[in-house]
Structure formats: structure tokens, C-alpha cells
Amino acid sequence: MKELKRAQPLVRAREVFRGEPTDAVAAPFVLQDNKGKVHAAGAMRAISFVEQ
């Protein structure tokens, strides 16, 4: 996952999270309220289907 600022080229984006090729899942998420206001953003990594 990279942090990209408006009008910034992708090559200049800062990497903030990377999963491993062996991970079951690696995914970003955003927590928003019903008005669309963002309260948190993060990433989840599951190294197996029972371990996160």
C-alpha cells in the first residue's frame, strides 16, 4: 500500500505497508461513518486463515 498525494506521480508515492508473498491475505481498509467522513485507514495482514 502506498500513500499518494494529489497530482503526485506513482513513482514518488511513499510505501506504508507491504504483505509477504506467502500471506493468505494482505489488504488495506478505510473506516468511514455514514456521511463518508474517514475516521481511520490501515492495513490487515493474515499469515494464514486463522492468524491475523
Side-chain angles (χ1 to χ4, degrees):
M1 181 168 68
K2 293 187 174 193
E3 177 184 43
L4 185 64
K5 310 246 183 198
R6 187 178 304 272
Q8 179 183 32
L10 185 56
V11 296
R12 296 203 50 229
R14 181 175 69 100
E15 184 175 290
V16 294
F17 176 79
R18 178 184 296 258
E20 296 294 327
T22 56
D23 290 347
V25 176
F29 63 86
V30 175
L31 300 177
Q32 296 178 311
D33 61 22
N34 62 351
K35 295 179 182 172
K37 181 180 177 185
V38 175
H39 293 275
M44 185 275 298
R45 178 177 173 223
I47 57 176
S48 74
F49 286 105
V50 293
E51 297 174 286
Q52 296 186 37

